[in-house]
Amino acid sequence: MKTIREYYIDKKCLTPTTIYLPRDAEVVNISELGDQLVLFVLLDINKQFTTDLRTFKICRSGENIYSDAVKYISSVNTDIGIRHVVEIIRGV
């Protein structure tokens, strides 16, 4: 069985943000809510008790990302400009 959960990260954070997400969770959308970006995550509720520490970076257009292994998640137009969210993949 699948469900969608919400996880929050500070949209003004300049450094990568790590959060625990259920294993095999997939970020399917992002939106702005006040000072936060909301990550909408699709997950299998039968696997929700096993978590992985995952790292996300909020970037401006043209900003350097100091990692070779990244996955583009989404972009969102916020009150402080367009922000792009990427996941920094560990162990690659």
Side-chain angles (χ1 to χ4, degrees):
M1 183 180 305
K2 303 279 186 176
T3 190
I4 294 178
R5 298 264 169 91
E6 300 169 1
Y7 294 85
Y8 300 87
I9 55 178
D10 183 352
K11 72 179 175 189
K12 295 179 183 177
C13 186
L14 300 175
T15 59
T17 301
T18 56
I19 56 176
Y20 282 99
L21 290 179
R23 183 161 290 154
D24 301 323
E26 177 187 1
V27 181
V28 293
N29 199 5
I30 295 177
S31 69
E32 177 186 25
L33 182 63
D35 288 340
Q36 306 287 316
L37 291 182
V38 183
L39 281 65
F40 294 95
V41 176
L42 180 66
L43 57 97
D44 185 335
I45 62 171
N46 297 321
K47 298 180 183 179
Q48 69 179 334
F49 298 110
T50 304
T51 59
D52 290 325
L53 188 61
R54 293 170 60 176
T55 304
F56 297 90
K57 173 83 171 111
I58 301 168
C59 307
R60 297 179 312 273
S61 295
E63 181 177 337
N64 293 331
I65 303 169
Y66 296 99
S67 179
D68 291 330
V70 297
K71 177 183 176 187
Y72 171 79
I73 303 296
S74 185
S75 297
V76 62
N77 190 7
T78 72
D79 61 347
I80 57 174
I82 295 176
R83 295 295 182 253
H84 312 284
V85 178
V86 296
E87 181 175 2
I88 297 174
I89 308 299
R90 297 179 184 271
V92 176

